[in-house]
Amino acid sequence: MNDVILFSGRPDNNEMLPQESAAYDMLDKLGVEYSGVKHEAAATMEDCKKADEALGIMICKNLFLCNRQKTDFYLLVMPADKEFHTKDITKQLGCSRLSFAGEEFMQSFLGVTPGSVTVLGLMNDTENKVQLVIDEDVLKNEYFGCHPCINTSSIKFPTADLKEKILPYIKHDFITVTL
């Protein structure tokens, strides 16, 4: 990720993908104040570091998981600097061993592609097939950082707005875990 372009509010971009535009539409409709950066596609947390620096936050790690039978799906949101161990999460959730869900489920339930998984993708999960799971440390931060359904931008907004505006609007509750 070389250069980043800062923006406040909806960025000017005629080439925006529908899922990104829908994310900004939702934030605007809810009155969520956000700022962000445009950047090269970020495939790893390492790729997000320049965006983190520009925004003054740490973009969250978002993992899309499922059980072995592929009947239960979870979106785990955790600090980027924490390591993920399946045993830590499965014990707290009381479920069988979890693994990464396939791209077809990611597209079907969240409307995003690999590298672009985000809590904002839950707006596409109208049947609530995905359980949101958030590490307690994420909720302690003043600001929440994520992709707006595409990994060529990163945004930040108040964590309170995630809990009080966005999640109620998209009808998703969350389970808090300690990783």
Side-chain angles (χ1 to χ4, degrees):
M1 190 179 301
N2 294 330
D3 295 320
V4 295
I5 301 167
L6 288 162
F7 61 87
S8 181
R10 188 185 196 97
D12 294 326
N13 187 344
N14 296 333
E15 299 174 16
M16 200 178 290
L17 293 175
Q19 66 267 30
E20 182 180 10
S21 183
Y24 292 128
D25 288 346
M26 178 180 65
L27 295 173
D28 293 343
K29 178 178 182 174
L30 296 174
V32 174
E33 290 188 28
Y34 57 92
S35 57
V37 292
K38 297 293 266 174
H39 49 70
E40 292 177 19
T44 67
M45 294 313 299
E46 185 66 30
D47 292 341
C48 291
K49 285 194 176 187
K50 272 200 173 176
D52 289 352
E53 291 170 12
L55 293 172
I57 60 164
M58 184 182 300
I59 303 298
C60 293
K61 188 184 297 184
N62 295 270
L63 304 176
F64 187 51
L65 308 167
C66 67
N67 63 355
R68 183 171 290 145
Q69 298 79 16
K70 297 181 179 157
T71 55
D72 297 325
F73 296 87
Y74 303 87
L75 174 57
L76 173 62
V77 180
M78 59 188 286
D81 58 355
K82 282 193 177 183
E83 289 189 30
F84 171 67
H85 300 286
T86 56
K87 66 180 169 75
D88 294 340
I89 189 76
T90 55
K91 184 176 181 182
Q92 291 179 66
L93 294 176
C95 61
S96 62
R97 182 177 164 92
L98 298 175
S99 60
F100 291 100
E103 183 177 346
E104 68 277 12
F105 295 110
M106 189 180 301
Q107 182 65 45
S108 174
F109 297 150
L110 303 178
V112 298
T113 56
S116 299
V117 174
T118 173
V119 69
L120 299 180
L122 290 171
M123 69 182 165
N124 297 309
D125 180 31
T126 57
E127 296 180 17
N128 284 64
K129 295 197 181 249
V130 180
Q131 173 62 59
L132 178 59
V133 180
I134 305 177
D135 180 81
E136 66 179 356
D137 288 340
V138 170
L139 300 171
K140 294 176 185 174
N141 294 322
E142 181 179 1
Y143 288 98
F144 182 81
C146 64
H147 295 307
C149 296
I150 190 70
N151 66 351
T152 54
S153 292
S154 299
I155 60 174
K156 79 171 185 180
F157 50 83
T159 302
D161 284 351
L162 174 68
K163 296 185 293 187
E164 298 164 13
K165 293 180 179 180
I166 297 168
L167 294 178
Y169 177 77
I170 60 176
K171 298 178 174 62
H172 274 75
D173 202 357
F174 62 92
I175 296 171
T176 304
V177 294
T178 304
L179 300 176

